[in-house]
Amino acid sequence: MKAFIDKTFLLDNQTGIHMYHQYCENIPIADYHCRLSAGDIADNKTYENLTEFFIFNNPKRLQTIYTYHKKTPEAASSWSPYDYFAMYIQAIEHSIGSPEYVICHLELDYFFGYSGPVNTKTTEQIWEFCNRKLVYPHMCMQRILTDHHVHYLNVEEELCADLSAYETLKNSPLPETNVTPLVRFDFPDSLQLQALSSLGFTISSYHDYLDAIASRIQAFKSCGCVSLLFSMSFCHSYLQESHELNSQLMFDKLLNEQQLSPLEYAFLQKELLHYILILCRENDLVLMLDIPHDSLPQLAPLLCGQMDENSPKLLLYTDLEQLVKYTPNQQAMSTIFTNNNIQWQYPFPQTMRLLPKIPEMVQNQMLITNLSQCLCSASGAQDFSFLCHLDYYRRHLSNTLGNYIENGYYPKDFTFIETMLENICYHNVIDLFLDL
C-alpha cells in the first residue's frame, strides 16, 4: 500500500512527479504575504516545545482546538503545552481529507522527519520525538529560513506597528533572506485613530488623517517596505451609485464613534482607494488589493479608469472560482486581464483545474497573458507552516500541469514548462516586489 507522505504525495501522474522533483522542489521560497514576527526573526527565536513551534503562533490550529473541544481561550488557560498538543491531535484525527489534516502531517515530516501516523495513540511519541529535535542548533528562526532557502518574506504589519525590528534585520546575518514590512491599511476605526494619536498625530479632520497615513507610509518605506495591502469589504451594490457625499462629515462620524450607513461606508472606501493609489504611485509601492469576488465586475471600470502607464503595480486577490459565477463587464474584465500593471494571485491550491470552467473570453485572456505571469498564492501564515503551504501549492501546481500535458492540453515542452514553474513560484514575486 502506498505510504501517506512520500515522494509522490499529491502527485498522481508521472509528468507531475517529474516536474515537481526536477523543478519545483528546489525553487527558492518567496512569500509575499506572511504574518511571521519580524521581532522574532531579528531575535533569532528558539522554541521550548512542539506546541510553541506548532500551535501557539497558528490561530487556525488554536481555533480548531477551541471549537472541537467546545472551550474558550479563557477555559483553556490552565492547560500545559502538552495538553494543547494532545487536544489538537484529538481534533485533527477526525478531519481526514481536510487541507489542515494534510498540512499537519506534511509539517511534522518537513521539519522533524516524522512520517508516521498522527493520532491519539501516537501523541506522546510525536511529542517526545519532535521535542528532542527542537534543541538542535538548526531549529532557530534564522537557520530555518536559511536552510530552507527562503529568499524573500513580505511581513504584514498594521499601519501603526513598531518597525524597529526591520532596522535590526538590515544588519542581521541573513545574507539570503530579504525581510520587508507590508503595510496593511484598514478602514479607519477608533482603535486605529487611538494608535495614531499614541504616535503623536493629532487627528481632528479628514485631511489630518490623510497626512498621518502618508507619514506612516514614509516610515514603512524607510524600513524597506515595497507594498501596501488594502482590503475592500463593501457591498458591490453600492459601487456604481452616484451620490454627492462629504468625506469630512463622514469622518466626523467616525471620530465620534458613530456608525456609517452602507452607502457612506462604500463611498469613503472608494475615496480612500483613490488616495492609496496616489500614495502607492508616489512611493513606488505595489498595491495588493483584496476584494470580494462579487465586486470585481463593478470595480473593474473604476480600476481601469485609475490605471495608466504611471500607475502603481496592482496585485488582485480574489476567489476566481466564485468570480466566474457572476457575469462580468467583459470589456472592463478584458482590460484588467491584459493590463501590464495588474497581476493576479492564483487561488490556493485549486488553481488550474478551474480553467475549463471559466467563460471563454476570460479563459482566453488568462491563458494568453496571465498564466505564465501569475504569482503563486501567498501563505498568510504566522508560523513556519508557510513553508508547507507553499510546498503543498507547488505539488498541486505540478500535478495539475502534469495532467494537462498527459491529456493533451499542453505540449510536452519541459524547457518552457520549467521556466513557467520558476516564474509562477519565484521570479514573478521577486520581479514584482523587489524589481530584481
Side-chain angles (χ1 to χ4, degrees):
M1 183 173 66
K2 182 183 179 298
F4 181 39
I5 304 291
D6 64 5
K7 289 188 175 182
T8 63
F9 174 61
L10 296 180
L11 304 169
D12 61 17
N13 62 84
Q14 290 301 312
T15 305
I17 293 171
H18 171 78
M19 289 193 298
Y20 172 75
H21 289 294
Q22 291 297 314
Y23 311 137
C24 280
E25 186 177 28
N26 300 313
I27 297 173
I29 299 292
D31 191 356
Y32 55 91
H33 181 195
C34 74
R35 296 183 177 90
L36 282 177
S37 167
D40 286 347
I41 298 174
D43 294 338
N44 200 17
K45 177 182 173 66
T46 57
Y47 299 89
E48 293 184 5
N49 55 65
L50 183 56
T51 296
E52 188 180 357
F53 182 90
F54 193 70
I55 294 176
F56 280 162
N57 290 321
N58 193 315
K60 291 183 178 179
R61 286 179 178 157
L62 286 170
Q63 190 57 50
T64 296
I65 293 170
Y66 301 142
T67 302
Y68 180 80
H69 294 284
K70 299 179 181 178
K71 298 288 185 180
T72 63
E74 293 74 20
S77 60
S78 62
W79 290 354
S80 69
Y82 179 80
D83 292 334
Y84 270 97
F85 183 69
M87 292 294 186
Y88 173 74
I89 296 300
Q90 287 180 29
I92 203 65
E93 73 172 339
H94 293 284
S95 65
I96 293 175
S98 70
E100 176 57 24
Y101 183 86
V102 173
I103 293 293
C104 165
H105 286 76
L106 192 59
E107 190 171 349
L108 290 172
D109 180 62
Y110 195 88
F111 292 108
F112 301 100
Y114 177 83
S115 56
V118 177
N119 53 48
T120 51
K121 294 180 181 179
T122 60
T123 300
E124 188 172 350
Q125 174 189 347
I126 298 170
W127 178 259
E128 293 177 354
F129 179 86
C130 295
N131 281 336
R132 286 197 298 269
K133 298 288 185 76
L134 280 175
V135 303
Y136 294 174
H138 68 274
M139 291 303 290
C140 59
M141 288 197 79
Q142 293 184 6
R143 275 290 301 275
I144 291 173
L145 293 173
T146 301
D147 291 349
H148 292 280
H149 306 292
V150 179
H151 285 192
Y152 179 54
L153 285 177
N154 203 21
V155 181
E156 179 186 311
E157 302 283 2
E158 294 181 357
L159 184 67
C160 300
D162 178 6
L163 302 175
S164 58
Y166 295 94
E167 295 295 337
T168 303
L169 285 169
K170 287 181 181 179
N171 302 311
S172 71
L174 282 170
E176 285 191 359
T177 308
N178 191 339
V179 183
T180 59
L182 160 63
V183 53
R184 189 186 79 222
F185 178 75
D186 295 315
F187 192 82
D189 59 17
S190 59
L191 291 176
Q192 185 188 97
L193 297 176
Q194 290 171 14
L196 286 170
S197 296
S198 70
L199 291 174
F201 295 101
T202 300
I203 310 294
S204 58
S205 69
Y206 183 57
H207 289 292
D208 288 342
Y209 178 64
L210 297 184
D211 289 343
I213 295 172
S215 178
R216 285 303 297 163
I217 287 179
Q218 282 295 318
F220 270 83
K221 182 76 174 176
S222 68
C223 292
C225 177
V226 293
S227 53
L228 181 147
L229 173 65
F230 186 24
S231 295
M232 306 190 74
S233 55
F234 52 73
C235 177
H236 73 279
S237 61
Y238 293 103
L239 273 169
Q240 298 302 316
E241 294 194 29
S242 176
H243 291 267
E244 292 297 325
L245 298 175
N246 187 295
S247 302
Q248 179 59 54
L249 292 178
M250 286 184 286
F251 194 74
D252 286 341
K253 292 179 71 173
L254 291 176
L255 288 173
N256 295 318
E257 299 188 21
Q258 297 175 350
Q259 188 171 359
L260 299 182
S261 70
L263 179 59
E264 291 173 327
Y265 188 82
F267 178 85
L268 193 54
Q269 277 211 332
K270 285 198 289 185
E271 290 291 296
L272 289 170
L273 174 61
H274 294 159
Y275 186 63
I276 290 299
L277 280 166
I278 293 170
L279 288 178
C280 287
R281 181 181 69 240
E282 291 177 348
N283 292 281
D284 197 23
L285 301 180
V286 177
L287 174 57
M288 300 164 65
L289 193 59
D290 189 0
I291 56 177
H293 55 261
D294 57 347
S295 296
L296 184 58
Q298 289 76 25
L299 189 60
L302 174 66
L303 287 175
C304 292
Q306 298 284 322
M307 304 300 289
D308 56 36
E309 65 274 7
N310 298 316
S311 298
K313 287 288 186 179
L314 179 65
L315 175 63
L316 290 180
Y317 282 31
T318 192
D319 186 335
L320 186 60
E321 185 172 19
Q322 294 297 320
L323 170 64
V324 299
K325 294 181 181 179
Y326 294 84
T327 303
N329 176 323
Q330 291 205 3
Q331 182 176 359
M333 290 293 290
S334 178
T335 302
I336 277 189
F337 277 118
T338 56
N339 190 311
N340 290 330
N341 275 357
I342 301 179
Q343 291 185 262
W344 288 79
Q345 173 189 253
Y346 258 40
F348 170 81
Q350 291 82 14
T351 307
M352 298 182 54
R353 67 179 67 172
L354 299 174
L355 289 180
K357 304 176 185 177
I358 298 175
E360 184 177 355
M361 182 281 302
V362 177
Q363 185 185 58
N364 287 343
Q365 297 293 351
M366 289 182 66
L367 289 172
I368 292 171
T369 65
N370 275 52
L371 182 56
S372 63
Q373 299 173 18
C374 78
L375 279 65
C376 64
S377 280
S379 70
Q382 292 180 223
D383 63 0
F384 280 113
S385 65
F386 82 90
L387 292 169
C388 297
H389 278 273
L390 295 176
D391 183 62
Y392 188 50
Y393 175 91
R394 292 178 178 191
R395 288 174 184 269
H396 270 285
L397 182 62
S398 299
N399 194 63
T400 307
L401 270 174
N403 275 319
Y404 269 58
I405 290 171
E406 292 189 359
N407 288 304
Y409 287 99
Y410 289 114
K412 198 172 184 177
D413 182 350
F414 286 124
T415 301
F416 174 78
I417 295 296
E418 178 183 5
T419 302
M420 178 188 289
L421 289 171
E422 289 177 347
N423 287 341
I424 292 172
C425 293
Y426 180 76
H427 291 298
N428 291 342
V429 175
I430 299 299
D431 291 345
L432 178 62
F433 290 96
L434 300 182
D435 197 27
L436 297 179

